[in-house]
Amino acid sequence: MSASSESAKWPIQHPDRLQLYTLGTPNGQKPVIALEELELPYELHKVNIMDGDQFLPEYVAINPNSKIPSLVDPDGPLKIMESAAILIHLGRKTGRLLGSGPTEENHTLQWLFFQVGHIGPMFGQFGHFYKFAKGKTDTYGEERYGKEVSRLLGVLDRQLDEREYLTGEFSMADIATVPWINALDFYEGKAAVKYDEFKNVHAWVERFMARPAVTRALEAVKFD
């Protein structure tokens, strides 16, 4: 599927723009926030994962793994799956939000990959066992992953000591991570992981959520 092709499910009105396929999950929020921050023209296509849109052949042609989000860049043309890969592409395309040089970019990528390798998987497992599997199994899962989420919040809290954002300046690392922190509200699990003890994290999330681009992005991608 090229950036200019028509789709019965997601017809393209502006083939010259970035085409984003997503929904308002933690991973799905990331590229929308990045695009709004970067003020890049894009066309948003909501992929209803509850209805199984991600398994439609026209979506699998973009993302073989049937996950959200996905991006098609007509300048390639280039199809990109995986939220972190999309953020890196957008950062390098614009020269923004990845750091001002090789050292700074490396630092940003470390914290971006920290989200991919630790925050997302561990918060997701905690949410599954704490909210969705509660009463269906013993408490081992929610205790194990709850402790790990608390530990990871501690890592973030120390990194944010005397910093407004993870690498100092606002970056793709913040865009990748805060949506997963906010997922604790959806999981109704903040008290279980002692979220209120992590004051630097709390202040950082509030700063992030106050950004106008974040407000626009979350409104655009919210569940209908």
Side-chain angles (χ1 to χ4, degrees):
M1 179 177 179
S2 71
S4 61
S5 64
E6 288 299 318
S7 161
K9 182 69 178 180
W10 301 286
I12 295 173
Q13 304 297 322
H14 305 281
D16 58 323
R17 298 181 185 179
L18 293 161
Q19 303 294 316
L20 177 64
Y21 299 81
T22 193
L23 200 64
T25 65
N27 284 336
Q29 293 172 18
K30 299 176 194 177
V32 194
I33 296 171
L35 286 163
E36 289 291 340
E37 287 282 352
L38 295 168
E39 299 182 303
L40 288 171
Y42 69 99
E43 192 169 353
L44 178 65
H45 307 283
K46 289 188 178 181
V47 181
N48 191 328
I49 57 178
M50 281 69 72
D51 288 348
D53 285 356
Q54 68 273 31
F55 300 112
L56 293 173
E58 59 199 288
Y59 187 74
V60 175
I62 302 170
N63 188 324
N65 195 34
S66 294
K67 299 292 185 181
I68 60 168
S70 299
L71 183 78
V72 178
D73 187 337
D75 289 343
L78 180 65
K79 304 171 189 175
I80 308 173
M81 64 180 189
E82 296 298 322
S83 58
I86 293 172
L87 295 185
I88 293 170
H89 173 72
L90 294 175
R92 290 178 174 170
K93 181 181 181 75
T94 60
R96 295 174 56 197
L97 300 183
L98 283 179
S100 57
T103 299
E104 292 78 8
E105 179 178 301
N106 183 276
H107 194 204
T108 301
L109 292 178
Q110 289 179 52
W111 286 98
L112 175 58
F113 294 155
F114 173 77
Q115 182 279 304
V116 173
H118 300 277
I119 298 293
M122 296 299 101
F123 278 54
Q125 291 294 331
F126 167 70
H128 172 78
F129 284 103
Y130 186 78
K131 182 172 183 176
F132 299 107
K134 188 179 288 291
K136 299 177 182 178
T137 182
D138 60 29
T139 61
Y140 176 79
E142 67 180 82
E143 291 173 0
R144 169 183 168 83
Y145 293 110
K147 288 178 182 177
E148 181 62 3
V149 166
S150 293
R151 187 190 73 81
L152 292 169
L153 287 169
V155 174
L156 291 171
D157 205 67
R158 290 188 294 274
Q159 177 65 13
L160 289 161
D161 192 31
E162 299 184 358
R163 293 183 181 90
E164 289 196 350
Y165 295 103
L166 284 175
T167 62
E169 296 183 356
F170 181 78
S171 76
M172 292 297 188
D174 304 290
I175 291 173
T177 309
V178 172
W180 277 103
I181 306 300
N182 286 335
L184 291 173
D185 288 317
F186 174 70
Y187 298 143
E188 301 172 335
K190 280 186 171 179
V193 299
K194 302 178 181 179
Y195 177 79
D196 287 343
E197 294 183 7
F198 304 101
K199 304 301 183 184
N200 294 328
V201 171
H202 190 276
W204 165 61
V205 171
E206 286 193 339
R207 280 192 295 274
F208 182 93
M209 296 300 293
R211 297 178 70 90
V214 174
T215 301
R216 294 194 304 271
L218 297 185
E219 178 63 25
V221 80
K222 68 182 180 181
F223 288 82
D224 293 327

